């Protein structure tokens, strides 16, 4: 099969990569569409030391199990299901987990991928494939209200105008009328403004310590220090940025101002699919480029160059209605 | 009056320092007893750039107001009471505040100190002066359950066996039966064990990611990295250590493990005085040295040398019953 593969020699499209092997409880998935994420770009730069098929955002058709023949999306953490962490309900934190396209598990930039049946969610007929491919990052946005209460009066600042900042701002905007996105890219801020979301350029960031909640999805080590200048005393900083390596930080302010920092990662797919189905979140305006799998390297390059969301067309759905 | 003064020339006892001036709403307090805190030692090293009379833990006799002639303890943050932060209820975070013996406000290592009436709490007759001097750090311990819920099944690890670690462990031990103090000083760990609190040496710290809550009161920049190795995924780290300057930190783990970090500072005096009165917390075993104010430099030196709690005898209570 075709696959976009990362190894010690770099990243390339292979035309005859071996098919993935499905273990007990696994379902083979014929991939239709995939999305490029910032994490994919970081993996190419060496983050996590990953080698294998890249990609973890996808829509595909299940080849077996209860969703056979139907479009599915999938949670990316594959838990062991047997350890103390799994038994405590924290399967996404299983210390033995593999992670689709990120850790010990081949990803979805390929004709076929494999995931446990338990990870799959059927895509509602009302949600197009181009929309459903956003389920994974959108679920991560819904993880914020799953971890903390956002009050309708809360003043929320989202740092970062990229694909994640956009989705997070839309989701948080359903909970409070006071969301501001701070970004560096006028064209990306314009996409947000067209959605009715307030924006400002980085130079105009409100460093007056008035934000109740600041969400850092800058993808940069400059995000947290900026968040510390924006959040009010006793406020909350949601950390969505994974930055490799160590960074110098002044930490006393966290104590003096009694701040709460909340690390936040993957989230509930059911809420994401519902939001896509009932149109409370718009994702089509984010699609800024599209490449066939054979041009996977161009897809990565476009994402690296700052495209809002790059999709990869992998396969046709065939006779099923979309 | 006598006062232990810090300025550009260092720290010294002055015999005829000017009396502090009481403004509107202020009460003059004749100091009886004071306690040396790690923060005092950091101020001497240059933290906050403070100059003036040191000291913020005290018991004294109010000279005016509703508590005139009675023993009082006092909250250290002096808020403006008029700004948006104060009006939102966050007086301890008033951006215009002064802080007793820490920021633009002369402290209590002196015969007389001044605090707003609103900051004062009368000491119950059942609480001795030597005990009440612990009200301020003990209130900081009660700030932890004020900021978060500790479940009776929670596995709590306190990093640091000093005066704060001891008080925090005692308070948290009233909420869960699973408190472990990790420390470096066998003699301080022995004080905790004598109170029935489990302890271990740093080399034996449980870095198996099983703690629900880790409290960092090491006073060192090594505390947070250690906490990150001890706390479970989705667990909470309470940050009680203010370390000056910047420190290199790997932050990705906070996101990947979806940790919550909670900065925590001053707390509720009423709960501290109640705990001292009903003996749910023992403080006398912590008193390891005592000096008259004239030997204030020796008091600082003893605290610096690792004494658990150093008290300064400033004045006699006089004819009042203790």
């Amino acid at each position: 099969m075709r696959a976009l593969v990362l190894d010690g020699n770099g990243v390339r499209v292979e035309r005859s990569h071996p098919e993935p092997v499905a273990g007990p409880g696994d379902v083979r998935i014929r991939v239709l569409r995939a999305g490029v994420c910032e994490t994919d770009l970081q993996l190419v730069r060496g983050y996590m030391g990953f080698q294998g098929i890249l990609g973890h955002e996808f829509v595909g058709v299940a080849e077996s199990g209860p969703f056979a023949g139907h479009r599915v999306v999938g949670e990316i953490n594959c838990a062991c299901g047997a350890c103390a962490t799994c038994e405590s309900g924290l399967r996404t934190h299983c210390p033995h987990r593999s992670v689709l396209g990120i850790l010990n598990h081949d990803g979805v930039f390929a004709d076929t991928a494999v995931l446990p049946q338990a990870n799959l969610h059927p895509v509602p007929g009302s949600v197009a494939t181009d929309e459903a491919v956003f389920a994974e990052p959108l679920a991560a946005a819904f993880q914020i209200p799953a971890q903390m209460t956002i009050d309708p009066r809360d003043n929320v600042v989202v740092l970062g105008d990229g694909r994640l900042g956009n989705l997070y701002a839309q989701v948080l905007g359903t909970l409070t009328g006071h969301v501001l996105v701070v970004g560096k890219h006028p064209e990306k801020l314009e996409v947000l403004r067209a959605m009715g979301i307030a924006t400002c350029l980085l130079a105009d960031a409100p460093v007056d310590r008035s934000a109740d909640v600041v969400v850092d999805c800058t993808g940069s080590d400059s995000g947290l220090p900026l968040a510390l200048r924006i959040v009010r005393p006793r406020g909350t900083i949601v950390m969505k940025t994974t930055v490799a390596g160590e960074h110098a930080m002044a930490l006393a302010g966290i104590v003096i101002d009694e701040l709460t920092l909340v690390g936040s990662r993957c989230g509930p797919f059911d809420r994401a699919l519902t939001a896509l189905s009932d149109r409370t979140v718009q994702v089509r305006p984010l699609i800024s480029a599209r490449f066939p799998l054979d041009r996977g390297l161009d897809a990565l390059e476009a994402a690296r160059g700052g495209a809002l969301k790059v999709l990869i067309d992998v396969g046709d759905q065939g006779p099923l209605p979309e």
Side-chain angles (χ1 to χ4, degrees), chain A:
Chain A
M1 67 172 188
R2 299 172 303 161
L4 187 69
V5 178
L6 172 69
D7 63 17
N9 298 317
V11 61
R12 68 192 169 281
V13 176
E14 293 191 355
R15 305 284 315 171
S16 54
H17 195 82
E19 294 266 334
V21 177
D26 281 345
V27 171
R28 283 168 52 94
I29 298 153
R30 184 163 52 82
V31 180
L32 299 175
R33 201 88 78 247
V36 180
C37 169
E38 176 64 28
T39 301
D40 300 320
L41 307 180
Q42 290 193 26
L43 293 172
V44 172
R45 288 200 295 268
Y47 177 61
M48 304 282 291
F50 176 73
Q51 298 205 355
I53 301 172
L54 285 170
H56 58 274
E57 301 177 2
F58 76 98
V59 182
V61 176
E63 297 196 343
S64 63
F67 308 137
H70 290 279
R71 290 181 306 155
V72 293
V73 290
E75 300 186 41
I76 67 176
N77 294 284
C78 305
C80 80
C83 69
T85 302
C86 286
E87 285 181 1
S88 75
L90 297 178
R91 291 174 62 97
T92 60
H93 291 280
C94 170
H96 313 294
R97 72 187 180 278
S98 65
V99 186
L100 184 67
I102 295 176
L103 177 68
N104 296 331
H105 195 123
D106 275 328
V108 298
F109 296 163
D111 285 308
T112 304
V114 160
L115 268 182
Q117 170 63 39
N119 284 42
L120 302 183
H121 296 260
V123 177
S126 57
V127 180
T129 298
D130 272 358
E131 296 164 344
V133 75
F134 286 87
E136 199 277 334
L138 186 55
F142 279 104
Q143 181 69 353
I144 299 174
Q147 289 178 282
M148 60 183 290
T149 301
I150 304 286
D151 188 277
R153 294 162 299 187
D154 275 349
N155 191 3
V156 175
V157 174
V158 175
L159 302 181
D161 53 15
R163 32 200 171 253
L164 293 182
N166 186 302
L167 296 176
Y168 298 169
Q170 289 193 65
V171 167
L172 294 168
T174 65
L175 301 167
T176 165
H178 315 286
V179 175
L180 173 73
V181 176
V182 177
K184 293 195 289 190
H185 309 93
E187 72 286 1
K188 295 182 183 177
L189 295 175
E190 182 52 41
V191 173
L192 285 153
R193 276 196 297 277
M195 294 172 168
I197 294 168
T199 69
C200 75
L201 283 165
L202 185 56
D204 303 318
V207 290
D208 61 351
R209 314 293 313 278
S210 66
D212 300 293
V213 178
V214 180
V215 181
D216 173 21
C217 40
T218 57
S220 154
D221 59 359
S222 63
L224 186 55
L226 177 59
L228 290 168
R229 294 171 57 210
I230 290 177
V231 72
R232 69 164 171 81
R234 292 250 182 100
T236 299
I237 297 174
V238 180
M239 296 171 65
K240 279 285 190 182
T241 288
T242 46
V243 185
E246 295 200 336
H247 299 277
M249 282 278 307
L251 299 169
I254 298 172
V255 179
I256 293 170
D257 292 328
E258 298 194 317
L259 303 178
T260 298
L261 275 62
V262 179
S264 179
R265 188 163 47 91
C266 304
F269 269 55
D270 51 350
R271 299 207 50 187
L273 289 168
T274 299
L276 290 170
S277 179
D278 65 16
R279 314 285 165 196
T280 49
V281 172
Q282 305 173 55
V283 294
R284 286 189 183 275
L286 277 71
I287 302 171
S288 51
R290 175 190 297 273
F291 296 88
L293 178 57
D294 298 325
R295 292 183 58 201
L297 295 182
D298 293 330
L300 294 181
E301 193 53 41
R304 202 175 286 122
L308 202 41
K309 190 70 187 183
V310 177
L311 299 189
I312 298 180
D313 290 322
V314 180
D316 291 327
Q317 186 169 344
L320 289 167
E322 178 153 324

